[in-house]
Amino acid sequence: DSARNGFSFKGIKDYLECYRSGKLTPTQVAKNIIAMLEDCDKSTPPLRAIVQWDQEQIMLMAEASTTRYRNKCTLSCLDGIPVCLKEEFKVVPYHHRVGTVYLGTQPETEDATVAKKLREAGAVIIGVSNMHELGTGTTGCNPNRYHKIPRNPYNPNHFTGGSSSGSAAAVAAGLCPVAIGTDGGGSVRIPASFCGVVGLKGTFGRISCHGSLPLSYSTVSVGPICTSVADAAIVYSILAEPDLLYPYGLKQPKATLSDMCAPDLKGLKLGVDWTFFKACDAEVLSACEKAVKHLQSLGASVVEVSLPEMEEARVAHVICILSEMRDFLQPDFNKHFHEMNLETRASLALACQFTALDYIKANRQRTRSMRFLQEIFNTVNCILTPAVPCTAPRIYESDLLTGSSDMTSTVRCMRFMQLGNFTGIPGLVVPIGYSTAGLPISLQVMAKWWDEAVLLRIGLKLEQFRDQTKKPSIYYDILA
């Protein structure tokens, strides 16, 4: 429980209090959400966070939850909680379009593992969220007819970040306290940062990817986007476990939340490579440095570390993710080239230039980078960096028609993200403040493989750093 001055987002706890006290039922909440979803579509500009939703489906799940509350037999602390999933996941009965106009021509008949788990926990799936076409960018800009450009709730003239763009926008705009995204190059953490909410990328294999489009099998992790670290911990604890249908996570240790609520950070060593850390805008750096001092004041010690070969790791990550996407999307590239956004075509065309030799060398670099990290994590509990070096970029008129392709900006937005995807370590981004223009700024915490618990422990303390939470300019209070 974190008390807030002024505005605070409505989280899982607020919903549960309403349901348990009888102030509101999941059915009443569902009706409010449907009214808000209709409003979102009509607003100027439209929010475009949720791109497919079905009133009947939402009401069915909500009514079932209401009955469970009445009979005092709820399924989990996600019972009745509104959630959305990125369109990259199969969710019955929606179209699995993955941000394109050509995929998912028929409604899905089988859920992805995470969708199935959320249903089993009693969550109310309010729809599937917008995404960057095929997850190929960091802005969330998707000008095609089914998707359009999702707006940043803090400033609708700015991007949400991508590729889990709609998931972050839905949470920041109050449509649901929980959304699920995928992260192959920062796709959960970048939009969470730009939209001022919490984003967790689990260790590679920790949460099942079964039922999501396997765009890049070696870099993508699944994770929640939530209004608070506590909510991210709840969702993580429900989703994180081996899945027989997803071989990469079968040998994982049991997920725990040990010491998450410890009163301080005594005994924790926070690693910082200051040269790497400082490669960001002045406003971002200033906020992030102060946040690090805050963690020190709670008993943690800051240890200077050196992250070797970061430039090599950055290039190798790009080679891995684009080669794997190009391999998987080869038939689409040949058959649906003219239906793809220009930016997607450019990214996949670039990927054609990589050779088998490049891919092998990139994976050798991965082994080296993982070895370096093993050594670093022998001396520190986590690594701190800014989340993104800048705040959310502006949307221009031309972006609405032809999309946006700015390689320099894409590479920059991924700067602090790629290490986690390349080596599979988990990462958490937590909002810590705002730029003078009122756009959110976040800090990132990364830990060794399977040690999400320490991220959540530090994240809880990091949340207390921000003296106030600003209300987004687009915000729906579902519980009002």
Side-chain angles (χ1 to χ4, degrees), residues 279-282 284-285 386-391 412-416:
C280 57
D281 291 354
V284 173
L285 178 60
V388 192
C390 54
T391 52
R412 190 154 187 253
C413 285
M414 286 164 54
R415 178 179 183 89
F416 300 118

Side-chain angles (χ1 to χ4, degrees), residues 121-189:
V124 176
I125 297 172
I126 65 165
V128 292
S129 48
N130 206 341
M131 64 177 285
H132 207 104
E133 185 178 64
L134 296 167
T136 55
T138 59
T139 56
C141 182
N142 188 348
N144 76 42
R145 65 180 184 271
Y146 286 139
H147 296 86
K148 300 288 176 235
I149 295 174
R151 302 296 177 142
N152 190 320
Y154 273 94
N155 184 332
N157 297 319
H158 287 250
F159 284 120
T160 54
S163 64
S164 309
S165 50
S167 296
V171 171
L175 291 172
C176 52
V178 174
I180 307 298
T182 58
D183 189 316
S187 288
V188 159
R189 293 162 293 155

Side-chain angles (χ1 to χ4, degrees), residues 381-400:
N381 299 90
C382 69
I383 295 167
L384 302 179
T385 69
V388 192
C390 54
T391 52
R394 198 178 167 74
I395 297 171
Y396 293 97
E397 280 300 307
S398 60
D399 300 337
L400 306 177

